[in-house]
Structure formats: structure tokens, C-alpha cells
Amino acid sequence: RHILKAIPPPVERLTLNLQGIRLMTDDILHHLIAVLHPKLKEFVIVLDGCTQLTEPGLVALVQALPPLHSLGLGTRHLPRAVTSQWLIVLSQVLRTSMPQLSSLTLNLEGCTQVSDTGLKKVAEVLPRSLRELELSLHGCRLVTEVGMSQLAESLPPFVERLAMDLCGAPPLRLLSKPLAELQEDME
């Protein structure tokens, strides 16, 4: 909590690496939410392995985000907190509050409750302004060809950088045609 008080408002770029802090709780996350300034434009938070966090805590975090140009959410190995329902809430925030988002990073590695439903909702609302997308679905066993196809079909036309970790996800052959079309558009 003392570290959060040291963040001088208004900060436009904020990166917090809280990886592996096992004592990180929803209560501490609520204190973090309180210091998010409306002028914030770039926000990266790494909560990998913060196993005390719950879905309601992460929902409160994404709902409190101001309109951003760049968002990075590191939520590896939080299977209780990162669910398809959480992704649905994130998709609502992306749709209503972040039309100017140009960079999105979602690390969902080991989040075993993520399924096609949540992935499809996020894919459906990716803003046309998006230029960079990084997505890790490593170990998301409930993501199938249906979710991957929806993601491939929903990529905004002007994406310049795409990085995906799909180990344990459906085969890449599903993405080859849309990515080829994306390459042609970029040339």
C-alpha cells in the first residue's frame, strides 16, 4: 500500500510488476484501483501467480480502468480468478471505454477456466484502432477451434504486430488463411 501512495498523479504510463506476490489480495487491488488516474494512457500490470486474487477483484480492476491507448494484463496461473466471465467483463470495458486502444497484451497462460465464450467476446470487440496484439493461451484447454476461428476472423484490419503463444491450444492451421490475408493487406 505504501508503494501505491508513492505514485505521483497524474501518471500517463504505469507498469506494475506484482508477479508472485502471494499476499496480493482483492483488498490490496482495491487500493491500487484508487490511485488509477483518469489521465492514464498506458497501463501494464503483472499479477502472475498472485493466487489470492479472485474473479471479483479482477472484475473491479478492469471496470475501473480509464480509457487507455495501451493495456497489458499479465494474469498467468490465476485459474480461479481469470475465467470466461472475467473476459466477458473485459470485453464490455474494451467496447465501451477503449475505442482508441492501439496495443493489447493478455497473458492467460494456465488460466484453465478460459473458454471459447470469453475469447469470442474479446475477439468481437477488438477496436479498429488496435495495432498490436499479444495473446498467450498456453494451457487454456477449454479454448477450441471455434474460439480460435472467431479470433482469427475478428482481427482488426490494421494490426501491425501479432504475437501469440498457442501451446496447448488448437492447431495453428486455423489461423493461416486469415493471417495470410492480413499480410496481404499490410503489403
Side-chain angles (χ1 to χ4, degrees), residues 148-160:
M148 295 304 298
S149 293
Q150 179 69 35
L151 177 64
E153 293 167 9
S154 299
L155 286 175
F158 302 109
V159 171
E160 298 167 354

Side-chain angles (χ1 to χ4, degrees), residues 94-171:
L94 292 175
R95 181 175 40 82
T96 60
S97 302
M98 299 194 192
Q100 300 303 317
L101 191 71
S102 62
S103 176
L104 177 62
T105 299
L106 289 175
N107 190 336
L108 306 173
E109 179 181 333
C111 296
T112 57
Q113 300 302 307
V114 170
S115 68
D116 291 340
T117 303
L119 185 61
K120 284 170 44 177
K121 288 294 184 185
V122 170
E124 290 170 356
V125 301
L126 290 174
R128 293 185 59 78
S129 59
L130 195 69
R131 300 295 177 262
E132 297 181 7
L133 175 63
E134 291 185 43
L135 179 65
S136 175
L137 296 170
H138 185 99
C140 296
R141 296 174 296 231
L142 299 178
V143 173
T144 69
E145 294 179 10
V146 173
M148 295 304 298
S149 293
Q150 179 69 35
L151 177 64
E153 293 167 9
S154 299
L155 286 175
F158 302 109
V159 171
E160 298 167 354
R161 184 171 172 273
L162 178 64
M164 300 180 78
D165 178 357
L166 304 173
C167 294

Side-chain angles (χ1 to χ4, degrees), residues 85-98:
Q85 186 59 42
W86 178 74
L87 285 176
I88 291 169
V89 172
L90 175 62
S91 71
Q92 293 166 347
V93 170
L94 292 175
R95 181 175 40 82
T96 60
S97 302
M98 299 194 192

Side-chain angles (χ1 to χ4, degrees), residues 7 16 36 66 69 74 129 146 150 163 171 181:
I7 299 171
L16 295 173
L36 293 179
H69 294 274
S129 59
V146 173
Q150 179 69 35
E181 292 172 7

Side-chain angles (χ1 to χ4, degrees), residues 5-73:
K5 290 179 183 177
I7 299 171
V11 174
E12 289 190 10
R13 294 181 181 141
L14 180 59
T15 299
L16 295 173
N17 186 346
L18 307 172
Q19 179 176 350
I21 299 177
R22 298 199 194 286
L23 298 177
M24 175 61 70
T25 63
D26 290 349
D27 183 49
I28 296 170
L29 203 53
H30 286 288
H31 288 284
L32 167 67
I33 292 167
V35 301
L36 293 179
H37 196 274
K39 291 190 177 186
L40 189 66
K41 298 296 178 209
E42 297 179 19
F43 182 56
V44 175
I45 186 166
V46 180
L47 298 167
D48 301 352
C50 296
T51 56
Q52 297 297 314
L53 294 175
T54 67
E55 183 183 60
L58 292 182
V59 164
L61 173 66
V62 297
Q63 288 178 331
L65 292 173
L68 297 170
H69 294 274
S70 179
L71 174 61
L73 296 168

